[in-house]
Amino acid sequence: LLVSGLTVYAPEALQIAVDPIGNKLYWTKGDELWWANLDGSLPTVVYRTPDDPRFIGGNHPYQQIGDVAIDRKNNLLYLSERRNRFDGGPGITIFNHSLIVRTQLNGTSPEFVAGAGPGCTYANYARNLGAGIDPDLCVQANGGIDVESLTVTDGTLYWSAYTEGFGSSAVYGLPLGGSQFTVATLALTGNSQG
């Protein structure tokens, strides 16, 4: 037994990734990404979704890390964050939105690679929240993407997702330093939008 005390289904949505070269096991636990040595020693939180300053406690119960993938060729880590979006007004709409984040293998230097609008960076997303600016300005107004899974092969990130507005779905690819491309369209059904 390497990891104990986890609930297999939401909100923890346990996913794992193994890095045999770096001797690390990564796993998700709610809004946290953990790692440990392959023998289970030295478990540590290496990444956590940032606080939403609009809520006491940071709104962490409504955020989770959906999937995790290792890019050993470029020594990078990819994860999908599912953050609840609260669109205010007369009626408040609450829905999940996925963001794909790239970090160093130790969880540092996060940056968005998919799911964020043009000009939206990891830093200004959190800064906008803290300044009381609607973070939804950073993401597509029609619902954003919903990432189902991630994997990395030969330095290229691949993911399956519902597209903006949840009208269709596809597998996408993104080579490091390159442009996003569509690999194939899919017919995913039963989406929970998060």
Side-chain angles (χ1 to χ4, degrees):
L1 178 69
L2 295 177
V3 180
S4 62
L6 297 177
T7 304
V8 179
Y9 189 69
E12 294 180 347
L14 180 65
Q15 301 294 321
I16 65 169
V18 177
D19 178 4
I21 296 169
N23 189 40
K24 296 293 182 191
L25 170 69
Y26 294 84
W27 69 94
T28 62
K29 183 179 180 185
D31 67 328
E32 298 173 336
L33 179 67
W34 287 70
W35 77 354
N37 292 326
L38 290 178
D39 65 3
S41 64
L42 303 174
T44 306
V45 175
V46 294
Y47 179 86
R48 186 176 191 199
T49 58
D51 286 344
D52 183 336
R54 298 173 298 173
F55 298 90
I56 295 172
N59 197 36
H60 289 281
Y62 297 98
Q63 302 178 53
Q64 71 180 35
I65 297 174
D67 204 358
V68 58
I70 299 166
D71 177 356
R72 207 45 170 118
K73 180 177 181 179
N74 296 301
N75 294 317
L76 296 169
L77 189 66
Y78 290 91
L79 53 98
S80 63
E81 286 187 6
R82 289 183 173 158
R83 299 185 187 187
N84 264 1
R85 290 177 52 193
F86 294 82
D87 291 342
I92 297 176
T93 303
I94 304 171
F95 57 94
N96 286 315
H97 174 81
S98 295
L99 298 163
I100 299 179
V101 177
R102 176 175 47 224
T103 72
Q104 299 299 308
L105 289 174
N106 64 0
T108 60
S109 304
E111 60 183 327
F112 294 141
V113 296
C120 182
T121 66
Y122 197 88
N124 71 19
Y125 185 94
R127 186 172 54 245
N128 286 352
L129 282 173
I133 300 170
D134 188 347
D136 302 338
L137 298 175
C138 274
V139 296
Q140 293 80 5
N142 58 355
I145 64 172
D146 183 14
V147 175
E148 301 302 315
S149 64
L150 303 171
T151 191
V152 178
T153 301
D154 198 28
T156 297
L157 170 67
Y158 295 92
W159 69 95
S160 61
Y162 285 90
T163 58
E164 289 82 0
F166 303 97
S168 62
S169 53
V171 174
Y172 302 94
L174 180 67
L176 184 63
S179 297
Q180 179 178 319
F181 60 95
T182 301
V183 177
T185 57
L186 299 174
L188 297 176
T189 58
N191 176 37
S192 65
Q193 295 188 16

